């Protein structure tokens, strides 16, 4: 089978996926920028948003893996021309993940104080963490629902509707953030950090409503749960279980980073919050090409079209590397300006500028890692991804952080650990892919 893979055909999937992918980090980065510029207790509020954001991102990444699992299975059925056989799967999968989200909400809400003490938060920062979390966690089920719907659309080779949903949600969040955090005189009181949390929840609910409408109106997929369970449910749950363990390992790295930054002091955790949000934004921008790889690799694997699979990997490698370099260059050109978007606190900016160059350096490396990570998810290689991330976290990230922290490098230690961690995650994927599929092409 010969498939014409061009930049145009890839971008048709990648650019809408890129825009859709930045929705969740944009919610956090908007909160970060607006909260960092309030008049009172800006540094403490910024620190709290960063700590809570790390925890909620952990929850979303752990349970949001349903998106990749659904996309992988549906895209393989599409590639094999058997879509009719998988139409009942999304509703069952969505029901499972939303039920899980309500359980997490019920367990985490009453233990908010203990959770953020575990992140080394104390005093005013801890109080703000609890306040922000106890509002924003109610958006968690809606976020997971949207992620699951996005996975369904991706499996159907459609990234346009997720883009529309994400744009509306992001724009609504910005408007509501400005209105609720700063207030509108005579109409809405200034709610500061609570306002940012309410804005995020309302945006997430709105995105979920639009997702339901588009899924039902624009596809043949139903949200009616039918029995018996689809035959792919065991494979789906297996994928989710492997991704669950993998994401626990990923968030172990994020926990160590956030915990150490918090322990260094409020200026450090505030600077780390800015840096990690920018890093995540860059990662999710690359997610457009990662998503294209996720969608198309599953399709090509289902069709046993190994020539197209290898061609896809080569082109995505090139496009991802170029995109990562462009992001890094833009960050370097606007180096000082970017920090001042988030805060005017000189102590925070000093720490941020000290490590921002490392954040930028990781962008091209992250691009390649995330693209191959997406392709392996599309091919259903969840077990290998699980093992790789466990090893990368346990034998690269944590030891690196401990060694450089011993030498009192503080935030520099954290970002060196992140850089080596990303390399350890990406390099084996490139090697394994080429060893596995190049012989299949050469022998055809």
């Amino acid at each position: 089978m010969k498939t014409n893979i061009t930049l145009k055909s890839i971008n048709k999937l990648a650019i809408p996926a890129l825009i859709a992918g930045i929705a969740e980090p944009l919610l956090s980065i908007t909160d970060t920028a607006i909260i960092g510029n309030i008049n009172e207790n800006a540094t403490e509020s910024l620190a709290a948003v960063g700590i809570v954001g790390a925890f909620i991102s952990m929850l979303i990444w752990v349970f949001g893996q349903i998106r990749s699992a659904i996309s992988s299975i549906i895209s393989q059925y599409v590639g094999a021309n058997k879509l009719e056989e998988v139409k009942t799967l999304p509703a069952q999968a969505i029901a499972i993940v939303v039920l899980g989200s309500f359980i997490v909400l019920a367990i985490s809400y009453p233990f908010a104080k203990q959770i953020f003490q575990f992140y080394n938060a104390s005093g005013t920062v801890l109080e703000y963490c609890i306040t922000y979390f106890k509002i924003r966690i109610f958006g968690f089920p809606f976020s997971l629902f949207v992620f699951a719907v996005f996975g369904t659309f991706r499996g159907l080779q459609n990234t346009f509707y997720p883009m529309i949903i994400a744009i509306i949600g992001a724009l609504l969040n910005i408007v509501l953030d400005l209105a609720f955090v700063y207030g509108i005189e005579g109409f809405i009181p200034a709610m500061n950090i609570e306002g940012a949390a309410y804005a995020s929840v309302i945006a997430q609910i709105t995105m979920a409503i639009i997702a339901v409408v588009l899924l039902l109106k624009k596809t043949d997929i139903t949200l009616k749960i039918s029995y018996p369970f689809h035959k792919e449910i065991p494979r789906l749950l297996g994928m989710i279980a492997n991704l669950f363990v993998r994401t626990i390992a990923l968030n172990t790295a994020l926990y160590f980073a956030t915990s150490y930054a918090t322990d260094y002091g409020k200026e450090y955790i505030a600077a780390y919050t800015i840096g990690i949000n920018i890093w995540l934004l860059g990662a999710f921008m690359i997610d457009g090409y990662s998503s294209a790889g996720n969608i198309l690799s599953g399709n090509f694997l289902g069709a046993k079209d190994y020539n197209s699979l290898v061609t896809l990997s080569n082109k995505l490698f090139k496009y991802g590397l170029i995109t990562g370099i462009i992001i890094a260059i833009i960050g370097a050109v606007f180096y000082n300006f970017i920090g001042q978007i988030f805060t005017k606190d000189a102590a925070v900016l000093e720490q941020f500028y000290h490590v921002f160059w490392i954040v930028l350096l990781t962008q091209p490396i992250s691009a390649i890692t995330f693209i191959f990570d997406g392709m392996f998810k599309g091919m259903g290689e969840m077990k290998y991804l699980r093992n790789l991330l466990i090893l990368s976290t346990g034998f690269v990230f944590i030891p690196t952080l401990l060694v450089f922290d011993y030498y009192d490098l503080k935030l520099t230690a954290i970002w060196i650990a992140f850089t080596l961690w990303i390399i350890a995650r990406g390099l084996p994927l490139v090697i394994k892919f080429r060893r596995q599929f190049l012989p299949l092409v050469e022998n055809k």
Side-chain angles (χ1 to χ4, degrees):
M1 182 184 294
K2 178 69 176 176
T3 302
N4 186 26
I5 304 171
T6 63
L7 178 60
K8 182 178 179 180
S9 65
I10 290 174
N11 279 341
K12 188 175 180 180
L13 292 171
I15 291 176
L18 181 157
I19 296 171
I22 65 174
E24 182 59 36
L26 200 56
L27 294 181
S28 294
I29 209 166
T30 301
D31 288 354
T32 301
I34 292 176
I35 286 296
N37 286 283
I38 60 177
N39 293 326
E40 296 182 5
N41 299 321
T43 301
E44 289 83 355
S45 297
L46 188 59
V49 168
I51 296 168
V52 174
F55 180 68
I56 290 181
S57 292
M58 180 272 289
L59 293 178
I60 290 174
W61 285 350
V62 167
F63 291 90
Q65 298 302 329
I66 187 74
R67 177 179 67 178
S68 296
I70 292 176
S71 175
S72 174
I73 292 175
I74 293 179
S75 64
Q76 288 177 33
Y77 271 76
V78 169
N81 293 315
K82 297 179 179 179
L83 178 60
E84 197 66 33
E85 297 179 17
V86 80
K87 284 185 176 179
T88 59
L89 179 66
Q92 295 173 356
I94 290 169
I96 291 169
V97 76
V98 171
L99 177 62
S101 72
F102 282 118
I103 294 172
V104 170
L105 192 159
I107 293 173
S108 63
Y109 186 89
F111 294 103
K113 181 178 180 180
Q114 290 80 0
I115 290 169
F116 298 112
Q117 283 177 329
F118 186 64
Y119 278 82
N120 289 329
S122 60
T124 303
V125 172
L126 177 60
E127 291 177 17
Y128 285 167
C129 282
I130 296 169
T131 298
Y132 183 66
F133 174 77
K134 285 195 168 183
I135 298 169
R136 193 167 168 197
I137 189 60
F138 284 97
F140 178 59
F142 297 98
S143 284
L144 288 193
F145 177 86
V146 170
F147 266 53
V149 173
F150 280 11
T152 303
F153 276 122
R154 285 185 179 188
L156 296 171
Q157 323 292 287
N158 184 326
T159 55
F160 178 75
Y161 292 130
M163 177 188 71
I164 297 299
I165 296 167
I167 289 173
I168 294 172
L171 291 177
L172 179 61
N173 184 68
I174 292 171
V175 172
L176 293 179
D177 252 343
L178 292 169
F180 291 171
V181 172
Y182 300 137
I184 299 176
E185 190 172 350
F187 184 57
I188 299 175
M191 291 184 279
N192 297 325
I193 195 169
E194 293 180 47
Y198 282 122
S200 294
V201 172
I202 293 172
Q204 288 162 328
I205 292 172
T206 303
M207 290 169 68
I209 293 171
I210 298 169
V212 170
V213 173
L214 288 177
L215 187 68
L216 296 180
K217 294 283 188 182
K218 301 297 183 179
T219 76
D220 294 328
I221 301 296
T222 177
L223 288 177
K224 182 180 178 181
I225 302 173
S226 59
Y227 297 96
F229 281 117
H230 193 279
K231 66 178 183 179
E232 290 287 1
I233 285 290
R235 182 158 77 109
L236 179 79
L237 293 177
M239 287 182 178
I240 293 172
N242 283 322
L243 289 170
F244 181 91
V245 174
R246 174 181 184 270
T247 311
I248 292 294
L250 185 153
N251 283 285
T252 297
L254 288 176
Y255 163 73
F256 269 88
T258 304
S259 177
Y260 271 60
T262 303
D263 197 45
Y264 295 147
K266 64 182 183 180
E267 290 83 9
Y268 290 92
I269 183 57
Y272 167 79
T273 297
I274 299 170
I276 197 67
N277 274 287
I278 292 172
W279 181 75
L280 288 172
L281 183 64
F284 277 91
M285 289 176 70
I286 295 299
D287 189 58
Y289 287 113
S290 176
S291 297
N294 179 284
I295 294 165
L296 294 173
S297 63
N299 189 299
F300 293 145
L301 187 66
K304 294 182 170 50
D305 185 1
Y306 303 120
N307 280 307
S308 293
L309 189 59
V310 170
T311 301
L312 174 69
S313 73
N314 292 336
K315 294 197 173 185
L316 286 178
F317 184 99
K318 180 174 70 174
Y319 302 152
L321 184 62
I322 292 171
T323 303
I325 291 171
I326 290 172
I327 293 172
I329 291 173
I330 291 172
V333 171
F334 296 99
Y335 199 89
N336 292 323
F337 173 74
I338 289 172
Q340 292 167 8
I341 293 173
F342 297 95
T343 185
K344 300 297 186 292
D345 188 314
V348 175
L349 288 172
E350 180 183 357
Q351 297 305 325
F352 171 70
Y353 291 141
H354 189 61
V355 296
F356 186 37
W357 66 273
I358 309 178
V359 179
L360 298 178
L361 182 66
T362 64
Q363 294 302 318
I365 305 169
S366 297
I368 295 169
T369 296
F370 295 148
I371 281 170
F372 276 86
D373 188 90
M375 291 189 67
F376 272 74
K377 286 179 182 176
M379 295 185 296
E381 292 277 356
M382 313 309 186
K383 184 177 179 180
Y384 182 78
L385 291 172
R386 177 200 70 189
N387 294 340
L388 180 59
L389 194 51
I390 290 172
L391 292 173
S392 300
T393 301
F395 292 98
V396 178
F397 183 87
I398 293 175
T400 301
L401 176 61
L402 293 177
V403 168
F404 285 98
D405 174 72
Y406 175 80
Y407 289 102
D408 201 34
L409 294 183
K410 294 186 168 64
L411 293 187
T412 302
I414 291 173
W415 285 105
I416 290 174
F418 269 130
T419 303
L420 296 181
W421 181 63
I422 287 294
I423 293 172
R425 288 175 55 191
L427 188 60
L429 293 178
V430 177
I431 294 171
K432 177 177 170 61
F433 180 89
R434 297 186 71 80
R435 283 181 177 174
Q436 182 174 346
F437 292 107
L438 282 181
L440 296 176
V441 172
E442 291 167 357
N443 293 334
K444 283 181 71 72

